Amino acid sequence: SIESQISVMVSQIQPHFMYNALTSIAMLCTIDPNTAQEATVTFAKYLRGNMDSLKQKAPVPFSQELEHLKKYLYIEKLRFGDKLNIEYDIKADDFLIPLLSVQPLVENAVKHGVGMKKNGGTVTIASKESENAYEVIISDDGVGFDTAAPQKQDGRSHVGMDNTRMRLREM
């Protein structure tokens, strides 16, 4: 439905991420114009990937999803600098996955894990093939949280994670 398409788009392009990206690029314009130009092009490709996802119903190769994630993380790295380390442990990439289904997990790891830790940390994106499945594992060494605690009713939208759960169940 059009509503679910819109909610996918909204959940994938958080307004704060857009503001932060543009602010980072604006600051780079005077101190490092070449990087500012590269960042602008990367951000445009990132946005195009999200817009294209509105038309895309079928799952996509994980390798394509990973390329899109790398654009997102490039932009986050502009903001966090050395406080954000990204590691990849990709042992399998020849499988299909719902489009933009990994990004909310990575975004959570960056924002709530590493972003809340004074000296930052590392987000790891891993994939592997087991006997009867492919696994994508997003982990971070950030501040952590109590997984047994009920989800906070903090007025914040958790649509990104809820959307991802729903889309994976539908598959």
Side-chain angles (χ1 to χ4, degrees), residues 124-128 135-139:
T124 303
I125 299 159
S127 66
K128 63 183 181 181
E135 290 181 54
V136 178
I137 302 113
I138 308 303
S139 56

Side-chain angles (χ1 to χ4, degrees), residues 8-144:
V8 167
M9 181 180 75
V10 169
S11 73
Q12 303 311 334
I13 309 174
Q14 298 288 345
H16 68 86
F17 173 66
M18 288 182 53
Y19 304 142
N20 292 339
L22 291 169
T23 302
S24 296
I25 292 168
M27 286 180 0
L28 282 171
C29 286
T30 51
I31 57 172
D32 188 348
N34 290 339
T35 302
Q37 182 178 10
E38 184 184 339
T40 303
V41 170
T42 301
F43 188 49
K45 286 178 180 173
Y46 168 81
L47 291 173
R48 176 173 297 248
N50 277 345
M51 293 302 146
D52 289 349
S53 75
L54 291 178
K55 298 180 239 102
Q56 175 76 28
K57 294 271 186 264
V60 297
F62 176 69
S63 54
Q64 180 183 325
E65 179 79 350
L66 195 57
E67 285 310 305
H68 189 71
L69 268 176
K70 286 178 180 176
K71 291 177 184 74
Y72 165 77
L73 286 165
Y74 170 90
I75 295 159
E76 286 291 57
K77 192 118 173 75
L78 288 177
R79 188 161 66 106
F80 287 103
D82 292 340
K83 287 187 171 188
L84 175 59
N85 299 303
I86 298 134
E87 290 183 0
Y88 297 93
D89 182 17
I90 307 300
K91 294 195 168 74
D93 70 355
D94 191 17
F95 59 96
L96 298 176
I97 192 163
L99 191 70
L100 303 183
S101 59
V102 180
Q103 184 176 324
L105 309 176
V106 174
E107 197 169 322
N108 269 20
V110 171
K111 185 177 169 189
H112 301 296
V114 172
M116 296 293 179
K117 195 172 171 187
K118 188 170 176 266
N119 296 320
T122 301
V123 172
T124 303
I125 299 159
S127 66
K128 63 183 181 181
E129 184 176 1
S130 62
E131 217 172 285
N132 55 358
Y134 290 97
E135 290 181 54
V136 178
I137 302 113
I138 308 303
S139 56
D140 67 76
D141 60 2
V143 293

